[in-house]
Amino acid sequence: DVRLLESGGGLVQPGGSLRLSCAASGFTFGDIPMNWVRQAPGKGLEWVSTIGDNTYYSDSVMGRFTISRDNSKNTLYLQMDSLRADDTAMYYCARRIKVSGTGAFDLWGQGTTVTVSS
Amino acid sequence: EIVMTQSPATLSMSPGERATLSCRASQSVGRNLVWYQQKPGQAPRLLIYGASVRATGIPARFTGSGSGTECTLTISSLQSEDFAVYYCQQYDQWPYTFGQGTRLEIK
């Protein structure tokens, strides 16, 4: 079964850290750029980060979040440091479609919730 | 950063009608545009990429068109399962950016 399964979300105080994981199955994980997208409660989608040949970050998380992957474990990570209240969101991992040069996401996990609050 | 603006914010329509959703970019994105559908409590679902290419398994009633700064998603005959929120996204430049969404609701 082709799927992505996020974990690691939870409640954290402002300034704290969390590490999200996304376990992939059913496809050749190492070949494909992977992404994190978030959605604040009641709001729209926001791209956060991509890892492929290079890594990319949104301005809002640059310097605080680090994307990484372990291809031997078929797992994507997002290390989130210096968390702020406006980082509160559902965090989705998403696979980039296997069409060259296309930054569309064709497989999404169910998401993991991050709440930053004191 | 490229700003994506969707209109209208909410579209009230009846089953069987034709829906037209718009997405405008603050600068040209060529055909590097995606449409997603999201239902409450679910992850987004890829509908269209490359402005007009239907993703695997997407019904033919969904059509993407346009390029440059103006793109459109047309749903030819609305089915009950089509009432959802629709997002456009550009991948022409980093950072990738999404529109704020159009809510398609039953009239």
Side-chain angles (χ1 to χ4, degrees), chain A residues 39 44-45 47 50 56 92 97 101-103 105-106 108-109, chain B residues 34 36 38 42-44 46 49 87 89 91 94-96 98:
Chain A
Q39 187 169 34
L45 301 170
W47 170 80
T50 294
Y56 302 88
Y92 295 101
I97 193 170
T102 302
F105 310 141
D106 70 337
W108 296 66
Chain B
V34 189
Y36 300 95
Q38 188 179 33
Q42 296 185 16
L46 175 64
Y49 63 92
Y87 294 96
Q89 174 228 319
Y91 55 89
W94 301 101
Y96 291 171
F98 288 87

Side-chain angles (χ1 to χ4, degrees), chain A residues 38 46-48 57-64 84, chain B residues 1 95:
Chain A
R38 69 184 181 183
E46 179 188 11
W47 170 80
V48 173
Y57 299 93
S58 69
D59 288 348
S60 60
V61 308
M62 180 85 72
R64 300 187 300 121
R84 311 185 304 221
Chain B
E1 151 173 335

Side-chain angles (χ1 to χ4, degrees), chain B:
Chain B
E1 151 173 335
I2 298 176
V3 177
M4 307 299 290
T5 303
Q6 292 185 241
S7 60
T10 303
L11 190 56
S12 299
M13 308 208 59
S14 301
E17 290 189 311
R18 177 187 185 94
T20 302
L21 288 67
S22 296
C23 178
R24 174 174 291 179
S26 60
Q27 63 189 83
S28 176
V29 298
R31 297 185 63 80
N32 298 316
L33 187 109
V34 189
W35 289 96
Y36 300 95
Q37 176 193 71
Q38 188 179 33
K39 297 179 179 179
Q42 296 185 16
R45 174 193 182 198
L46 175 64
L47 298 176
I48 301 282
Y49 63 92
S52 62
V53 181
R54 272 188 296 274
T56 302
I58 301 304
R61 64 181 182 273
F62 291 91
T63 301
S65 61
S67 65
T69 61
E70 298 276 355
C71 288
T72 300
L73 175 69
T74 302
I75 310 171
S76 59
S77 177
L78 285 165
Q79 307 297 303
S80 57
E81 62 266 30
D82 298 336
F83 292 93
V85 180
Y86 292 82
Y87 294 96
C88 63
Q89 174 228 319
Q90 66 81 21
Y91 55 89
D92 188 69
Q93 289 185 18
W94 301 101
Y96 291 171
T97 46
F98 288 87
Q100 81 282 12
T102 290
R103 180 178 304 277
L104 180 57
E105 63 178 27
I106 298 177
K107 190 173 182 179

Side-chain angles (χ1 to χ4, degrees), chain A:
Chain A
D1 195 22
V2 179
R3 66 184 297 192
L4 299 170
L5 184 62
E6 302 94 336
S7 60
L11 174 64
V12 61
Q13 292 188 339
S17 297
L18 273 180
R19 187 198 200 200
L20 306 184
S21 299
C22 172
S25 58
F27 65 96
T28 306
F29 177 75
D31 288 353
I32 300 176
M34 295 294 296
N35 310 267
W36 289 98
V37 176
R38 69 184 181 183
Q39 187 169 34
K43 302 298 184 182
L45 301 170
E46 179 188 11
W47 170 80
V48 173
S49 184
T50 294
I51 184 167
D53 292 338
N54 295 299
T55 58
Y56 302 88
Y57 299 93
S58 69
D59 288 348
S60 60
V61 308
M62 180 85 72
R64 300 187 300 121
F65 290 10
T66 303
I67 191 171
S68 63
R69 65 195 298 165
D70 185 337
N71 291 339
S72 69
K73 295 182 179 179
N74 290 343
T75 302
L76 175 72
Y77 302 101
L78 186 67
Q79 177 66 40
M80 303 187 297
D81 299 319
S82 302
L83 282 161
R84 311 185 304 221
D86 62 359
D87 294 318
T88 295
M90 177 75 79
Y91 284 74
Y92 295 101
C93 69
R95 180 183 75 176
R96 201 186 82 173
I97 193 170
K98 211 170 183 180
V99 175
S100 180
T102 302
F105 310 141
D106 70 337
L107 179 67
W108 296 66
Q110 88 294 342
T112 188
T113 300
V114 173
T115 303
V116 184
S117 175
S118 55

